Amino acid sequence: MKAPGKWALLAALFVVLVLADQWSKYLAVTRLTHVFERAPDESLAGRVRGFYTHRHLESLATEPHYVWRPVWRMNYVENPGAAWGLFRGFSEGFRNAFFTLVSLGAVAFILRYYRKLREDQRFLQVGLALVLAGAVGNFIDRIARRYVIDFVEWYWWNRPDIRWPTFNVADSLIVVGVVMLLLHPGAKAEEAGAGAAK
């Protein structure tokens, strides 16, 4: 069976991962806030519409859900800034313009870099696909709501006050993708592998 081409791989990973990111954020809204109890809509279409139209739900957040109480809980958070709350203090107009430009620039850079990859450079293709899906997943949030939904909290043993900044699936995709790009063995290792395969 022939392996998919690099563009088919990118398209498949992109669609699946962006949908997974948005679905996880939908679950965060439905399970970590009371918004659908206050604005009930039993149809899936109505709930999906509400997911993109209801905003500023932190006042409706439930108590955190503990996945493993010593280190991991789910907690609904709205992040108008970047990672670690960067740019939170700037005006909404500046933040939205800045993040739009950065997101569009990142997408253009990733696609340009991806276009130059050979068909056999699967490791880099997957890494770039993860970064692209993560960037677009958070960009969708910013377009729809002007902030990003975060919900995963990891913290020191039974100390939620000592924790990693709250994050989401898109953030994880970006981090894993960037780590893959940084850990890539490089051209020499690829050439050695290609030579050994002959």
Side-chain angles (χ1 to χ4, degrees), residues 143-162:
I143 292 296
R145 327 181 165 79
R146 308 290 192 234
Y147 57 81
V148 172
I149 294 173
D150 290 331
F151 54 90
V152 181
E153 287 186 352
W154 289 343
Y155 48 89
W156 188 246
W157 202 259
N158 290 314
R159 289 287 308 273
D161 57 315
I162 304 174

Side-chain angles (χ1 to χ4, degrees), residues 7 28 31 45 47 50 53 62 67 72 77 80 83 86 94 102 129 132 134 137 141 154 174-175 182-183 193 196:
W7 292 106
R31 298 182 181 183
R47 284 182 167 243
T53 56
T62 65
V67 178
W72 181 8
V77 175
L86 295 174
F94 173 83
V102 168
L132 179 65
D141 278 22
W154 289 343
I174 293 169
V175 169
L182 293 175
L183 295 180

Side-chain angles (χ1 to χ4, degrees), residues 37-70:
E37 295 169 20
R38 303 259 180 116
D41 194 329
E42 297 302 319
S43 71
L44 179 59
R47 284 182 167 243
V48 169
R49 184 173 53 252
F51 167 63
Y52 286 106
T53 56
H54 295 304
R55 295 181 181 160
H56 303 295
L57 307 177
E58 284 186 319
S59 63
L60 299 175
T62 65
E63 290 297 313
H65 171 75
Y66 289 88
V67 178
W68 188 34
R69 188 170 288 273

Side-chain angles (χ1 to χ4, degrees), residues 63-117:
E63 290 297 313
H65 171 75
Y66 289 88
V67 178
W68 188 34
R69 188 170 288 273
V71 296
W72 181 8
R73 70 182 184 181
M74 299 297 195
N75 189 30
Y76 180 85
V77 175
E78 296 169 356
N79 181 7
W84 297 286
L86 295 174
F87 302 106
R88 181 184 288 265
F90 289 89
S91 71
E92 183 176 291
F94 173 83
R95 284 195 315 263
N96 292 332
F98 176 79
F99 289 127
T100 297
L101 289 175
V102 168
S103 298
L104 294 176
V107 168
F109 174 80
I110 291 167
L111 292 177
R112 183 173 178 181
Y113 186 34
Y114 193 91
R115 185 173 59 86
K116 296 178 180 180
L117 295 178

